Amino acid sequence: MSEFWIYFQIGLKHVLDIHAYDHVLFLIALTTPYLFKDWKRILLLVSVFTIGHTLALLLSVYGIIAIKVNTVEFLIPITILITAIFNLFTAGKTSKSDGLNLVFFVTLFFGIIHGLGFSNYFKTILGGSPSSKLLPLGEFALGIEAAQLVVVFVVLIISYIVQTVFRFSKRDWALVMSAFIIGVVVPMIIESPIWNR
């Protein structure tokens, strides 16, 4: 049980780390267009993201895929930017189900990119034989999922307060939050080491 808690906590801290807020930014961008009544869709999206994240770690830990750190560190804010821009163009639209399959596919792909960003660190803390790596990966994934649900719940609460107490429309809330996220992410992209070649 103590070993489970170790990897579970690493997963929690990976998402909730104040110094590595890119994961939280992505979750905010992913959640902003939705309300509490959309909880099934949000849960599905978050789980798809976790599956992508875990798949990337699995492929990396077993040496199936390797990608340069600078490339991944550049792609992560790009995924956040794309999600926020998508929200800008779809804010206030009544039907989110039209492009739902696309959203799930893109979320899975973005989960893979975010997972690759953490893979090098995760490989350093994960020892043992190939077969002994599966359980810690699963425990870590559960920590990721739990932390993501905490972030999503907080975003939904803030969204509810803003829309009921302060009378923001759903569209205005999505526009303001997306613009805020874009404002945070663009400097991350500009300052990326990938430009220094």
Side-chain angles (χ1 to χ4, degrees), residues 129-181:
S129 64
S131 60
S132 68
K133 293 177 181 179
L134 282 175
L135 190 59
L137 268 169
E139 294 160 351
F140 176 75
L142 287 174
I144 293 267
E145 185 77 353
Q148 289 183 154
L149 292 176
V150 168
V151 172
V152 165
F153 187 69
V154 169
V155 172
L156 288 174
I157 288 173
I158 293 169
S159 175
Y160 177 78
I161 292 168
V162 167
Q163 291 178 56
T164 54
V165 176
F166 298 105
R167 301 289 183 199
F168 264 61
S169 69
K170 184 180 171 184
R171 178 182 175 276
D172 289 347
W173 167 248
L175 289 174
V176 168
M177 286 308 295
S178 299
F180 166 75
I181 291 164

Side-chain angles (χ1 to χ4, degrees), residues 18 109 124 128 138 146 159 176:
I18 194 75
F109 179 68
T124 62
S159 175
V176 168

Side-chain angles (χ1 to χ4, degrees), residues 72-150:
V72 175
E73 293 301 321
F74 174 72
L75 289 174
I76 287 173
I78 293 288
T79 64
I80 301 166
L81 181 67
I82 290 168
T83 307
I85 290 172
F86 176 78
N87 291 344
L88 283 179
F89 286 104
T90 58
K93 301 276 170 73
T94 51
S95 179
K96 283 262 175 202
S97 58
D98 297 341
L100 199 57
N101 291 338
L102 177 66
V103 172
F104 284 129
F105 175 75
V106 171
T107 304
L108 178 70
F109 179 68
F110 288 177
I112 291 169
I113 291 171
H114 283 246
L116 288 172
F118 192 68
S119 62
N120 286 337
Y121 171 73
F122 194 70
K123 281 193 280 191
T124 62
I125 60 169
L126 196 63
S129 64
S131 60
S132 68
K133 293 177 181 179
L134 282 175
L135 190 59
L137 268 169
E139 294 160 351
F140 176 75
L142 287 174
I144 293 267
E145 185 77 353
Q148 289 183 154
L149 292 176
V150 168

